[in-house]
Amino acid sequence: MSPMTHPLLTKHRDTLDAAVSAITTRGYHSVYPESPSPRIYGENAAADGKAEFEGLLGKQFDLDTPDVVDYVATESSPFGIELGVHYPRADAEALLTAARRAWPTWRDADPDTRAAVCVEILERIHRHVFTLANAVHATTGQAFVMAFQAGGPHALDRGLEAVAYGYAEQRRTPATAYWEKPAKGEPLAMNKRYHVVPRGVALVIGCNTFPTWNSYPGLFASLVTGNPVIVKPHPQAVLPLALTVRYAREVLVEAGFDADLVGLAAEDPSDRIAATLALDPRVRIVDFTGSTEFGDWLEANARQARVYTEKAGVNTIVVDSTDDFKGMCRNIAFTLSLYSGQMCTTSQAIFIPEGGIDTPDGHVSADDVVAGIAGAVAKLTGDAERAVEIIGAIVSPQVADRIDAAAETGEVVLASKRLEHPAYPGARVRTPLLVRLPADARDVYGTECFGPVSFLVTTADTRESLRLVTEVVAERGALTMGVYSTDEDVLTAAEEVAREVAVHLSCNLTGGVFVNQSAAFSDFHGSGGNPAANASLTDPAYVSGRFTIVQSRRHA
């Protein structure tokens, strides 16, 4: 299919062009409304989506997967919701064979057509966004509004961003060129053609906490660049990605392609199908979000593939001074509380000089800074009915156990409490734990402690705080860094640290922007420059390795 021939390209031309423009300007851009308001989505959208979600529970998930071995149900909801969805399980060989069989027509389609089909898939997912939001909510423990926003519109925006980057990079090289070199007599003249050649089967390995937000960039970056994709969800968060695969397969067939270009690798956890697929020579791209241990294993062993990983890190905040003490404390409190700190961008180590900090109301001691942050967290999470809409539920028993263990590592300045969820009596809900530590306790605060656990670290001064950040991030990696200071020299020093260890920096956040949130088309997620991630969502390097350029030339 040549450019401008597929009807979906005409339908989505404006969306695609605007997205490509947005990645160059880096300003605000969003296609999918983040408010679940009936004024935007219609009076019946929320009820219809919930009904569709509930209609999936306790049943076999309808997906025309080739060579189904059996059906597996592996999910247990942090809210105690009875899920019982049984997913078709196919072995690795069947999935790879189907993907390779489906590949040629997609591989040979032009980048314009592939981009248009990808945008149509995103639009189809968006049509079912309330169903998807309920699936994310039930499997991850995110409060519903967060599940809607992060799991729906924000994830879709990240997917579209990946489409825009992939589309732009494929078009960077012209399809044809005329080359002429002066020579004695007649010049040397050549006609050249340049072919975008996709790498091969891509594997997306999903995570439990953000199954769509973390998977959509890799899924759509591989798809738009011409590669078939096998999606391997986390066993505890299958439904959001199973729905995604279903909608993608529907659109592909409607657009004239093979449904098996996108496949679902549901598994019994004992299968270890991710490792099996990742090492298969037919898998040429791997996208992974999850533990450092498995991410490092993939990087070391899946040598035939381009491996893109987001792993663990130690995110930090340096407190030096502030022009809004209450605003600073409120902002940090929300950062630490949102989704119970179960975001890969949540701050873990907060460095405070032992001599205290300057504020508009005078000098404040380190004890008062600690008390201010702890008090703001306690206030935010003090009322259970309100708190659960911010903190959600703890994703797994292992995270809950980690909270208890962390309480033994230092001085507890705010204990974690168990809350009763007003809507889900069986929910696993815990408020954040804050522990105070000395600067020399790096073995504690310098290792990721995933969940609602943060360490308030007392340092000699801001210089030591910045030195510790440099050392910890260089060793362990980080996705975010924050700093509070009214001193331009300190802000400059913090920016130099951020550049040295390749971590994204936020300065003096006191309002409605938080260090652990990033905006598609403007904010990069991860830099690929420290141990927390070897790639950035989303930049040219994230997409360009998913295809190569092959040229042919003839004398003119």
Side-chain angles (χ1 to χ4, degrees):
M1 298 178 184
S2 59
M4 303 306 295
T5 59
H6 202 288
L8 288 178
L9 186 58
T10 302
K11 178 180 179 181
H12 296 303
R13 179 83 268 171
D14 290 346
T15 298
L16 191 56
D17 288 347
V20 171
S21 176
I23 62 175
T24 63
T25 62
R26 311 304 298 179
Y28 173 78
H29 184 71
S30 179
V31 174
Y32 310 99
E34 67 177 0
S35 171
S37 169
R39 292 191 299 273
I40 296 172
Y41 286 96
E43 291 295 330
N44 299 321
D48 290 346
K50 188 171 184 179
E52 185 176 359
F53 161 74
E54 291 175 343
L56 299 168
L57 304 183
K59 299 176 182 176
Q60 288 188 357
F61 188 85
D62 181 23
L63 193 71
D64 185 22
T65 300
D67 301 317
V68 174
V69 175
D70 57 18
Y71 285 77
V72 292
T74 56
E75 296 159 309
S76 60
S77 172
F79 290 116
I81 300 169
E82 291 294 332
L83 297 172
V85 186
H86 291 68
Y87 302 96
R89 183 170 71 94
D91 64 27
E93 182 60 33
L95 290 166
L96 288 164
T97 299
R100 292 276 299 183
R101 184 176 60 244
W103 188 26
T105 54
W106 186 250
R107 177 194 62 205
D108 296 339
D110 59 86
D112 296 73
T113 296
R114 291 197 296 258
V117 174
C118 285
V119 177
E120 179 71 8
I121 294 171
L122 290 164
E123 184 179 274
R124 182 68 52 86
I125 297 169
H126 188 234
R127 189 186 304 171
H128 297 272
V129 68
F130 280 94
T131 308
L132 185 68
N134 277 280
V136 172
H137 169 67
T139 56
T140 67
Q142 293 178 31
F144 181 78
V145 172
M146 182 178 184
F148 180 90
Q149 293 178 336
H154 295 174
L156 292 167
D157 277 336
R158 281 294 187 191
L160 180 59
E161 182 183 29
V163 171
Y165 269 105
Y167 179 60
E169 288 303 305
Q170 290 173 93
R171 290 167 56 87
R172 186 180 298 277
T173 302
T176 61
Y178 174 74
W179 180 89
E180 185 175 283
K181 179 181 179 180
K184 290 183 179 180
E186 293 294 318
L188 301 174
M190 305 288 290
N191 287 319
K192 303 184 180 185
R193 298 180 66 189
Y194 302 93
H195 303 274
V196 172
V197 179
R199 286 183 61 84
V201 178
L203 171 65
V204 174
I205 304 172
C207 66
N208 193 174
T209 48
F210 289 88
T212 56
W213 197 97
N214 277 109
S215 295
Y216 282 9
L219 167 60
F220 285 98
S222 287
L223 205 56
V224 75
T225 51
N227 306 283
V229 183
I230 297 172
V231 179
K232 206 297 289 182
H234 190 284
Q236 293 293 335
V238 184
L239 187 53
L241 290 179
L243 287 167
T244 299
V245 169
R246 173 188 283 179
Y247 303 142
R249 291 169 67 89
E250 289 175 358
V251 170
L252 286 165
V253 171
E254 293 167 10
F257 297 96
D258 194 310
D260 288 330
L261 284 164
V262 179
L264 180 72
E267 64 166 348
D268 182 291
S270 63
D271 293 344
R272 292 186 56 80
I273 195 173
T276 300
L277 287 167
L279 297 184
D280 193 285
R282 290 166 289 185
V283 170
R284 304 301 306 281
I285 303 162
V286 177
D287 287 278
F288 168 77
T289 302
S291 70
T292 296
E293 180 182 13
F294 192 53
D296 288 347
W297 183 89
L298 287 167
E299 292 173 8
N301 292 281
R303 305 302 294 270
Q304 84 291 349
R306 293 291 179 95
V307 179
Y308 303 90
T309 62
E310 182 194 313
K311 301 172 289 188
V314 179
N315 303 311
T316 61
I317 294 176
V318 172
V319 179
D320 170 75
S321 54
T322 181
D323 60 4
D324 182 359
F325 182 72
K326 290 183 179 179
M328 178 190 76
C329 292
R330 285 194 300 265
N331 192 281
I332 293 174
F334 188 82
T335 292
L336 304 186
S337 302
L338 185 61
Y339 186 32
S340 298
Q342 297 170 119
M343 300 174 68
C344 55
T345 49
T346 299
S347 308
Q348 177 179 301
I350 302 171
F351 296 94
I352 303 164
E354 62 183 5
I357 69 170
D358 290 330
T359 77
D361 300 320
H363 197 76
V364 173
S365 70
D367 289 346
D368 288 339
V369 176
V370 170
I373 295 171
V377 173
K379 182 178 180 180
L380 189 63
T381 60
D383 177 75
E385 188 169 352
R386 178 184 176 217
V388 296
E389 298 306 322
I390 299 169
I391 65 177
I394 300 299
V395 71
S396 70
Q398 291 76 21
V399 174
D401 293 342
R402 196 174 295 129
I403 301 169
D404 296 333
E408 303 298 322
T409 61
E411 176 193 351
V412 174
V413 295
L414 184 66
S416 175
K417 298 179 181 179
R418 290 173 171 81
L419 299 183
E420 291 294 323
H421 197 295
Y424 303 112
R428 189 188 305 116
V429 182
R430 297 284 296 271
T431 62
L433 169 73
L434 301 187
V435 177
R436 190 171 185 178
L437 294 172
D440 61 4
R442 255 181 65 177
D443 59 325
V444 179
Y445 66 76
T447 302
E448 191 202 31
C449 186
F450 180 77
V453 177
S454 292
F455 301 107
L456 306 177
V457 183
T458 305
T459 64
D461 51 29
T462 297
R463 180 175 296 180
E464 183 181 42
S465 297
L466 291 170
R467 177 180 63 79
L468 290 170
V469 169
T470 304
E471 293 172 359
V472 168
V473 176
E475 179 182 355
R476 297 289 185 175
L479 296 177
T480 65
M481 174 185 172
V483 62
Y484 288 90
S485 182
T486 57
D487 186 331
E488 280 298 326
D489 289 340
V490 171
L491 295 175
T492 298
E495 191 133 355
E496 289 173 354
V497 168
R499 291 170 60 191
E500 180 178 345
V501 295
V503 62
H504 301 310
L505 176 68
S506 297
C507 303
N508 294 323
L509 300 183
T510 56
V513 176
F514 304 94
V515 68
N516 54 336
Q517 296 176 318
S518 64
F521 296 100
S522 186
D523 295 324
F524 292 108
H525 176 76
S527 68
N530 68 58
N534 72 358
S536 178
L537 309 182
T538 308
D539 65 0
Y542 186 70
V543 298
S544 60
R546 298 169 194 264
F547 65 93
T548 190
I549 300 291
V550 176
Q551 74 169 44
S552 65
R553 56 185 182 172
R554 300 180 184 181
H555 285 293

